[in-house]
Amino acid sequence: MTTPHHDPNDAAPGLTPIQWAICITAAIGFAFDAYVLLMLPLIVRPALVELLRVPATDPQVNAWVGTLFNVPAVAGGIFGLLGGYLTDIFGRRRVLVWSILLYAISGVAAGYSTTVYQLLFWRCCMFIGVCVEFVAAVAWLAELFTNPKQREAVVGYTQAFGSLGGVMVTAAYYLVVTYADSLPLVRGTHDPWRYTLMSGIVPAIPLIIIRPFLPESPAWREKRAAGTLQRPSFAEIFRPEFRRTTIVTTIMMACAYAAAFGAIQQVPRIVPGLAEVRSLPHAVVEQTVSKVQWFQELGGLAGRIVLAFLAVRIVGRRRLLHVFQIPGMILLPIVFLFAATSSLEMLKWGIGIVGFMTIAQFSFWGNYLPRVYPTYLRGTGESFAANVGGRMIGTTAALLTTSLVAFMPGATPPIKLAYAAALVGTGAYVIGFIASFWLPEPGKEGLPD
């Protein structure tokens, strides 16, 4: 089947009821992905304090933070890469359903962890499910909507709900911190971090009920039925016509994830070290952490929405990306070197702006990648950039940041962490910006056949 030709000037048609159902389901899925991933920055410090039975400033906590950010991401990257391959063989919808089940069940199991190794194992399972789900969902959406303007808008706006998932988990954490004592005991305690991990099953319920009844990608299904669907392979994405795209997108996705994991997601551990926060009661400290995270997530949500709006108005993909890269490259070091070490109020607003510039770039790749690979390679190509570049390479920035803490100046561990985050996050931005000049522009608005 050849993708229907659409004049770029054609207005996008209205959505049908089934298309609305697809969009709503995809939006819930992206929100759930982010909900599961973004709970770790909130719960990692109290979880490690309990499981390791040491103070929050103990070096073991810092070391395990790097491990919990990095190892599950690498596991997710490896299995996500396999998942992208499987979506090209077995179809987008089937892989979506099984990936959701995996990370929903794993979240509940993680809430019952009694050792840090159990938490690490179940966190790996959660990450694997999210990584597989993301690649399958983007390929599925891009192939269901053939009108270029409609596709750009649908993929962009549904991905914006990923940041809504971050807002939701921040609100959930605030609520469980505030009302934990009135909730049922888990492992004999009322620990908020356990309830937060387990809460991830709630938004999975409507997805499991609805998604099996939604249509498979017509482009994939018809090629499969006609026997014209070529067998994907990782070697294919390094053929001369795809090599530059694969290498550059992998590097740039690694940089986007490095800025997020190496800098932004370290903020919940920086907040308790601020002068205004240090002397507060424990519950109030955790509430303050969630409030700062709330600003960052709202900034990310706004960034995704703005990118979705601009994606159908700015033709050049590099130009679109630079709208977010250039300001972010300037603002990130300012926020982490100054606001994060001196003022709670400045940090709240500063991290909101940095979140705006950084998280928007995640939505960019959801719009860009489906346009540069043909149907039989779409899942494989997307998963390589997202999983090898983003999850396996980019998330090592968290390990780098925690390792650099010991060599940073500063009077307290949170200040040292802020300086390390500034160094790693700024470096990621600079490398990503330089690499963007080699980013290929898609040849046409329609999807490659």
Side-chain angles (χ1 to χ4, degrees):
M1 185 185 90
T2 302
T3 302
H5 172 74
H6 292 275
D7 190 317
N9 297 315
D10 286 350
L15 297 178
T16 65
I18 190 67
Q19 286 177 326
W20 273 113
I22 290 167
C23 289
I24 292 168
T25 306
I28 295 171
F30 286 132
F32 188 24
D33 290 352
Y35 188 101
V36 169
L37 293 184
L38 294 174
M39 62 175 61
L40 184 64
L42 293 165
I43 64 98
V44 67
R45 181 173 47 84
L48 288 175
V49 166
E50 181 187 340
L51 295 176
L52 294 173
R53 294 178 172 81
V54 296
T57 54
D58 191 285
Q60 290 184 74
V61 172
N62 187 63
W64 268 103
V65 166
T67 300
L68 282 167
F69 271 105
N70 183 238
V71 173
V74 172
I78 294 170
F79 284 90
L81 195 61
L82 176 62
Y85 178 79
L86 293 176
T87 64
D88 286 333
I89 296 178
F90 297 112
R92 286 49 167 140
R93 185 185 59 184
R94 186 183 302 175
V95 174
L96 280 170
V97 172
W98 285 105
S99 63
I100 293 165
L101 276 172
L102 174 62
Y103 63 79
I105 294 169
S106 300
V108 174
Y112 282 91
S113 299
T114 56
T115 70
V116 70
Y117 294 100
Q118 289 178 11
L119 178 60
L120 176 62
F121 172 78
W122 290 116
R123 185 67 187 168
C124 286
C125 294
M126 293 167 73
F127 224 113
I128 289 168
V130 169
C131 291
V132 173
E133 200 272 349
F134 174 80
V135 171
V138 169
W140 182 61
L141 277 177
E143 293 169 354
L144 283 168
F145 295 88
T146 56
N147 180 280
K149 290 183 181 295
Q150 189 180 66
R151 184 186 65 250
E152 293 285 340
V154 165
V155 175
Y157 284 115
T158 53
Q159 283 187 101
F161 280 81
S163 286
L164 184 60
V167 173
M168 290 162 55
V169 75
T170 304
Y173 186 68
Y174 182 90
L175 289 173
V176 296
V177 165
T178 305
Y179 301 107
D181 289 344
S182 59
L183 296 173
L185 290 171
V186 177
R187 291 292 188 189
T189 71
H190 291 287
D191 293 320
W193 66 269
R194 295 184 184 276
Y195 301 125
T196 305
L197 283 165
M198 297 172 70
S199 68
I201 197 170
V202 176
I205 296 171
L207 293 176
I208 295 301
I209 294 172
I210 297 170
R211 254 196 179 140
F213 299 99
L214 294 176
E216 178 57 90
S217 158
W220 180 88
R221 186 184 63 241
E222 291 176 25
K223 280 180 174 290
R224 176 69 178 268
T228 58
L229 186 69
Q230 300 178 57
R231 191 171 185 83
S233 74
F234 295 114
E236 286 283 298
I237 62 177
F238 285 97
R239 283 170 48 191
E241 60 264 45
F242 303 123
R243 187 182 301 135
R244 177 177 160 190
T245 297
T246 299
I247 293 172
V248 174
T249 56
T250 299
I251 291 170
M252 293 186 68
M253 284 203 79
C255 291
Y257 273 79
F261 278 72
I264 292 177
Q265 293 198 22
Q266 305 303 320
V267 169
R269 291 202 301 133
I270 294 172
V271 171
L274 289 166
E276 303 103 304
V277 182
R278 280 198 296 264
S279 59
L280 297 174
H282 175 73
V284 180
V285 170
E286 297 305 320
Q287 289 173 337
T288 305
V289 167
S290 67
K291 288 176 183 177
V292 175
Q293 186 80 352
W294 176 269
F295 272 74
Q296 186 249 297
E297 297 300 342
L298 287 177
L301 175 60
R304 286 182 184 268
I305 292 171
V306 170
L307 185 133
F309 176 80
L310 295 177
V312 296
R313 290 164 175 81
I314 298 178
V315 175
R317 298 296 91 177
R318 282 193 294 270
R319 240 178 101 203
L320 173 62
L321 190 57
H322 287 169
V323 169
F324 301 91
Q325 276 187 323
I326 294 171
M329 186 166 49
I330 297 168
L331 291 170
L332 186 146
I334 294 173
V335 169
F336 280 89
L337 290 174
F338 301 105
T341 60
S342 60
S343 169
L344 178 63
E345 195 65 23
M346 287 174 59
L347 178 57
K348 282 196 301 189
W349 291 102
I351 200 61
I353 297 170
V354 172
F356 178 98
M357 300 301 173
T358 305
I359 305 305
Q361 295 177 50
F362 287 84
S363 284
F364 172 85
W365 296 110
N367 285 71
Y368 177 86
L369 287 168
R371 292 179 58 185
V372 291
Y373 291 105
T375 303
Y376 80 102
L377 281 180
R378 191 159 292 129
T380 305
E382 289 174 21
S383 70
F384 191 90
N387 292 304
V388 174
R391 274 73 183 240
M392 297 174 66
I393 299 174
T395 59
T396 59
L399 198 58
L400 178 60
T401 298
T402 55
S403 299
L404 286 173
V405 167
F407 305 99
M408 292 291 110
T412 65
I415 291 177
K416 292 175 182 285
L417 178 59
Y419 289 159
L423 180 62
V424 173
T426 304
Y429 255 99
V430 170
I431 295 169
F433 177 68
I434 293 170
S436 70
F437 291 96
W438 282 271
L439 185 70
E441 290 287 349
K444 57 181 180 177
E445 290 205 340
L447 298 183
D449 189 44

